[in-house]
């Protein structure tokens, strides 16, 4: 199948592209390189540098390459930033997604995978969080993804648009060639590994007074290759109907456990210091992913936190300066 991947130069998108190509799919990457890296794009993918806010450019990609499916990763993705600059999210994320959807419909493409988020569940009534949980977006970021999910729901009804919304919990780890390289970096695992590499002095723990087993936040870390597999399975199932899945391992680890595991993996002491809470962080987020296991036979291969951190560490050791090295 020919697949258009927006944001295919970014962390998650680039690994999904790699896995699609390994599965013999044909891939066109559309990315503005705002966060992404040209070197992260698999050499067998067609790369187009462009912005989703440019409707003519988006239409031209559909007209020229005639994709049969779209995977949409290109997005601003930081909860904290969205609380400071909501229009980047409620504006750009939504408008860019809308441009893409309009072009897809216009060019008769009816298969779409949306990268969505656990930030739809700011106030969960049950843990783990399954797809029956009520939606309470935690920030303009989560809201922007929810708006796109709602658009997809209507397009399905009106145009038979088949979509999957995949709500990731904490994507982590690396493939051999591709890993996490954000500037600046906000995510706990790469930050901890930068301390081990000597690029930072210490890691700040954002709050140790949460109602969790050691007072630090609990998150469900999911390996990027397992996430990629979920995209491929969802794509193949689309013709049987639209679907929404929560994606995680169903197991939570505290920030302190992440740091301790990274100490074991790297052999580095990784100094840590407790700081104030980061605004907007819920205490615990654990995914209930039985639905995708049941429906699609999805089975994570790297469910163990140690393996996830080891893969990220291997990538950081081979790319100490990220993609610039
Ligand atoms: N975190 C931390 N120090 C850091 C970065 C993150 O203590 O320098 C914590 C953060 O408060 C959250 C967890 O690590 O509880 C995971 O944060 P991350 O930004 O990696 O992912 P998020 O859960 O926000 O998607």
């Amino acid at each position: 199948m020919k697949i258009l991947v927006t944001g295919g130069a970014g962390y998650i998108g680039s690994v999904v592209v790699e896995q699609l190509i390994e599965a013999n799919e044909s891939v066109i990457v559309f990315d503005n390189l705002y966060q992404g890296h040209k070197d992260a794009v698999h050499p067998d993918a067609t790369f187009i540098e462009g912005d989703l806010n440019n409707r003519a450019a988006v239409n031209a990609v559909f007209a020229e390459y005639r994709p049969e499916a779209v995977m949409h990763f290109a997005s601003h993705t930081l909860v904290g930033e969205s609380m400071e600059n909501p229009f980047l999210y409620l504006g750009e994320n939504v408008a860019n997604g809308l441009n893409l959807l309009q072009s897809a419909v216009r060019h008769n493409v009816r298969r779409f995978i949306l990268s969505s988020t656990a930030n739809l569940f700011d106030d969960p009534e049950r843990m783990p969080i399954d797809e029956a949980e009520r939606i309470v977006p935690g920030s303009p970021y989560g809201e922007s993804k929810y708006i796109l999910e709602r658009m997809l729901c209507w397009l399905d009804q009106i145009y038979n648009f088949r979509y999957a919304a995949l709500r990731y919990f904490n994507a982590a780890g690396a493939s051999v060639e591709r890993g996490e390289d954000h500037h600046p970096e906000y995510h706990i695992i790469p930050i901890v590994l930068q301390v081990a590499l000597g690029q930072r002095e210490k890691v700040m723990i954002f709050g140790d007074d949460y109602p969790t087993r050691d007072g630090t936040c609990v998150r469900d870390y999911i390996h990027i290759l397992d996430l990629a597999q979920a995209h491929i399975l969802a794509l193949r199932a689309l013709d049987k109907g639209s679907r929404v899945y929560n994606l995680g391992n169903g197991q939570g680890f505290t920030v302190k456990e992440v740091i301790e595991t990274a100490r074991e993996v790297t052999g580095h002491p990784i100094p840590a210091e407790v700081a104030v809470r980061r605004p907007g962080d819920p205490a615990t987020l654990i995914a209930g992913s039985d639905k995708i296991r049941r429906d699609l036979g999805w089975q994570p291969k790297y469910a163990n936190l140690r393996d996830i951190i080891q893969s990220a560490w291997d990538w950081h050791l081979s790319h100490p300066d990220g993609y610039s090295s």
Side-chain angles (χ1 to χ4, degrees):
M1 199 185 292
K2 215 190 258 185
I3 304 153
L4 172 63
V5 180
T6 74
Y11 170 47
I12 301 177
S14 67
V15 174
V16 174
V17 168
E18 169 192 291
Q19 295 299 304
L20 284 169
I21 284 174
E22 286 193 10
N24 291 318
E25 306 290 1
S26 155
V27 179
I28 304 115
V29 168
F30 187 83
D31 196 302
N32 63 6
L33 300 182
Y34 173 72
Q35 282 281 341
H37 308 272
K38 179 88 194 325
D39 288 347
V41 178
H42 193 288
D44 293 348
T46 301
F47 175 67
I48 296 151
E49 185 172 347
D51 206 298
L52 288 171
N53 68 15
N54 181 343
R55 285 183 68 175
V58 177
N59 275 318
V61 169
F62 278 93
E64 182 172 352
Y65 295 96
R66 309 214 156 273
E68 299 156 86
V70 176
M71 291 194 183
H72 180 40
F73 298 92
S75 168
H76 299 286
T77 58
L78 297 172
V79 169
E81 180 184 57
S82 81
M83 298 294 283
E84 283 164 19
N85 189 354
F87 291 116
L88 211 47
Y89 290 75
L90 300 172
E92 272 187 36
N93 273 7
V94 172
N96 290 348
L98 184 60
N99 284 346
L100 182 65
L101 288 170
Q102 282 180 307
S103 289
V105 169
R106 176 187 296 180
H107 293 272
N108 244 341
V109 179
R110 295 285 188 273
R111 297 187 191 94
F112 195 96
I113 299 204
L114 173 70
S115 107
S116 188
T117 175
N119 196 248
L120 300 191
F121 309 110
D122 193 45
D123 186 23
E125 290 179 319
R126 289 175 308 275
M127 198 65 64
I129 302 168
D130 65 22
E131 295 79 3
E133 181 59 59
R134 67 199 172 123
I135 307 274
V136 181
S139 67
Y141 165 58
E143 190 73 49
S144 71
K145 294 289 186 177
Y146 189 49
I147 293 169
L148 292 179
E149 286 197 12
R150 294 300 308 152
M151 287 184 191
L152 287 167
C153 190
W154 284 110
L155 298 184
D156 184 355
Q157 289 186 43
I158 296 164
Y159 298 116
N160 279 333
F161 203 83
R162 297 295 183 233
Y163 72 92
L166 303 181
R167 298 155 171 175
Y168 317 148
F169 282 59
N170 287 62
S175 70
V176 173
E177 307 271 344
R178 292 174 181 82
E180 199 165 3
D181 180 14
H182 297 114
H183 297 276
E185 188 55 73
Y186 288 101
H187 296 105
I188 186 71
I189 291 178
I191 284 178
V192 162
L193 297 179
Q194 286 172 355
V195 177
L197 281 172
Q199 296 172 350
R200 285 175 194 256
E201 197 188 323
K202 60 189 170 198
V203 53
M204 307 306 289
I205 297 173
F206 296 146
D208 69 348
D209 56 352
Y210 285 96
T212 62
R213 52 186 173 267
D214 63 19
T216 65
C217 288
V218 170
R219 293 288 180 275
D220 183 341
Y221 296 90
I222 170 170
H223 197 286
I224 191 94
L225 287 170
D226 289 328
L227 261 187
Q229 205 46 42
H231 286 75
I232 293 173
L233 291 171
L235 178 70
R236 300 203 169 129
L238 274 188
D239 290 345
K240 289 190 223 122
S242 296
R243 53 206 62 233
V244 169
Y245 294 121
N246 292 0
L247 271 177
N249 280 308
Q251 213 189 338
F253 295 94
T254 68
V255 174
K256 283 187 178 168
E257 287 164 353
V258 168
I259 297 170
E260 194 47 46
T261 306
R263 287 180 180 132
E264 287 164 18
V265 166
T266 63
H268 189 280
I270 311 185
E273 193 177 306
V274 175
V276 295
R277 289 181 176 198
R278 187 172 68 176
D281 274 339
T284 302
L285 287 174
I286 299 172
S289 296
D290 287 353
K291 191 172 163 216
I292 188 166
R293 289 171 192 261
R294 226 177 22 242
D295 286 5
L296 306 184
W298 178 68
Q299 188 66 47
K301 282 197 192 136
Y302 310 93
N304 178 316
L305 181 64
R306 205 190 155 88
D307 293 343
I308 292 175
I309 294 182
Q310 182 72 55
S311 73
W313 179 232
D314 291 344
W315 190 80
H316 276 80
L317 285 176
S318 60
H319 299 76
D321 300 313
Y323 285 103
S324 54
S325 57

